[in-house]
Amino acid sequence: MPTIEILNPLGVRGWDRLVLEFPGCTIFHSAAWARVLAESYGYAPQYITLKKGGRLLAVLPVMEIQSFLTGRRGVSLPFSDLCPPLVQDPSFLEPLIEAAISHGKIRRWKHLDLRGANLPSRPFCSYYGHHLDLAPGERKLFSGLKSSHKRNIKKAENEGVAVSFFRSLESVRSFSRLNGMTRKKHGLPPQPFRFFRKLHEHLISKGKGIVALAAHRGKTVAGAVYLNFGKTAVYKYGASDPAWLHLRPNNLVMWESIRRYARKGFDLLDFGRTDLDHDGLLRFKRGWGGEETILHYHRFDMATSRFVESETGPKNSHTLMKKMPEPVLRGIGMMLYRHMG
């Protein structure tokens, strides 16, 4: 009979090799991503696994978050757009989720958050997802782009924008600077630089990610961070200097990144999640010729022993934060991100 084990992937030799055997595995299932989250925010990895005879049959990655602001929670996984349970057979999903709930009650979690689990219950919240098949090759990929994206790529090229790829800590610093501008524009605090430093240390510098930066006349005007694992790449973060958006550098960054991953033999580029009402970002992601899906997040409330739906409220904080100086927003990010998860 299969047995349930609670594992920390950081202590399991050959973890990445084990999870790469599952279809649908991404960078968010890797040991390196677990290490980034644990060292950046102090989260405790408690991965729920189903094993038989030493063979891994199913795994649900979970981080325990302990916060005086948001309580003790289990999240699969924090700051991960999509981290579905990995199962060798669909019949393993139910006992895996039941084991996670039982573990959560023992640990006295407020709730368990699941991001991408295929469950029959109503979701807590939903997002759009987009992914692009890279197999057709550069010529067909370009022909599949929306006409406005093609024009914007040509415009950026004609204006002298050039995209380069890096794995240095300095490139991460350059992106972090742009990220601060973009987050302020949207009324959000930027991620603390400690997180980006860990991203560089455990992923980017080890070949599991890349920083794409667009420059115009010697000035960095846009960039993106991509993560990769197996044959799948993930567009994790994008940012730009608002003063140079008329050059359309973001379009060129994405196109050159698509070309790069296609040439290196990757099968898929995942564009991450998008809010259902984020029209601008949706237009951008829809224009690359990929497939659109709906990503469901589920929340199991331990007190009521049931899956619950989100209670949405006003988002006035975004308007207030747009008016704050960038250093203040960075300070807020350093204080609050570990509690947000």
Side-chain angles (χ1 to χ4, degrees), residues 9 13 20 47 51 83 184 198 201 235 247 269 271 338:
R13 188 174 182 179
L20 278 171
Y47 286 30
K51 301 178 72 177
C83 191
K184 174 177 170 59
K198 290 298 179 180
E201 179 182 351
Y235 168 57
L247 301 181
L269 174 61
F271 289 82
R338 70 170 303 272

Side-chain angles (χ1 to χ4, degrees), residues 45-275:
Q46 298 180 11
Y47 286 30
I48 317 299
T49 67
L50 189 65
K51 301 178 72 177
K52 184 177 182 180
R55 181 175 176 234
L56 193 62
L57 302 178
V59 56
L60 175 65
V62 179
M63 290 280 178
E64 181 176 274
I65 300 175
Q66 295 196 49
S67 165
F68 66 88
L69 290 178
T70 56
R72 182 182 293 182
R73 302 172 284 129
V75 182
S76 178
L77 276 175
F79 305 116
S80 308
D81 298 349
L82 183 67
C83 191
L86 300 177
V87 295
Q88 294 289 4
D89 186 277
S91 65
F92 297 148
L93 180 60
E94 185 175 348
L96 191 69
I97 300 299
E98 289 177 352
I101 292 171
S102 296
H103 179 68
K105 289 183 176 180
I106 293 171
R107 296 292 303 167
R108 297 186 178 180
W109 293 343
K110 286 176 58 179
H111 50 73
L112 169 66
D113 284 351
L114 303 171
R115 300 179 173 180
N118 186 19
L119 302 178
S121 58
R122 293 181 65 86
F124 179 73
C125 58
S126 299
Y127 301 88
Y128 282 116
H130 299 85
H131 58 269
L132 179 65
D133 181 2
L134 300 176
E138 183 178 327
R139 182 175 297 181
K140 287 188 176 181
L141 287 170
F142 189 80
S143 66
L145 303 187
K146 189 177 178 180
S147 58
S148 61
H149 277 23
K150 293 178 183 178
R151 290 195 302 270
N152 289 338
I153 291 167
K154 294 299 181 184
K155 177 178 177 58
E157 291 175 334
N158 292 337
E159 293 284 354
V161 177
V163 176
S164 301
F165 297 96
F166 304 93
R167 288 201 173 98
S168 65
L169 183 59
E170 186 56 39
S171 68
V172 174
R173 291 187 187 277
S174 295
F175 177 80
S176 180
R177 178 184 64 84
L178 295 170
N179 187 57
M181 297 180 187
T182 299
R183 300 289 283 183
K184 174 177 170 59
K185 177 183 175 183
H186 295 295
L188 297 167
Q191 295 85 350
F193 185 70
R194 174 180 175 82
F195 168 74
F196 284 111
R197 187 187 296 116
K198 290 298 179 180
L199 207 63
H200 173 263
E201 179 182 351
H202 298 304
L203 289 170
I204 295 171
S205 68
K206 300 295 193 298
K208 292 186 174 70
I210 202 78
V211 180
L213 296 177
H216 181 257
R217 297 179 182 176
K219 181 179 178 61
T220 301
V221 298
V225 173
Y226 296 85
L227 305 177
N228 49 262
F229 189 59
K231 291 293 186 178
T232 299
V234 176
Y235 168 57
K236 191 68 180 84
Y237 303 107
S240 55
D241 186 332
W244 300 95
L245 286 177
H246 64 283
L247 301 181
R248 302 295 187 261
N250 293 315
N251 294 85
L252 189 59
V253 166
M254 183 63 76
W255 171 240
E256 291 298 334
S257 301
I258 289 171
R259 293 177 65 198
R260 181 184 183 277
Y261 276 115
R263 288 174 177 176
K264 288 186 173 293
F266 282 78
D267 295 333
L268 196 74
L269 174 61
D270 189 322
F271 289 82
R273 79 181 194 190
T274 310
D275 289 341

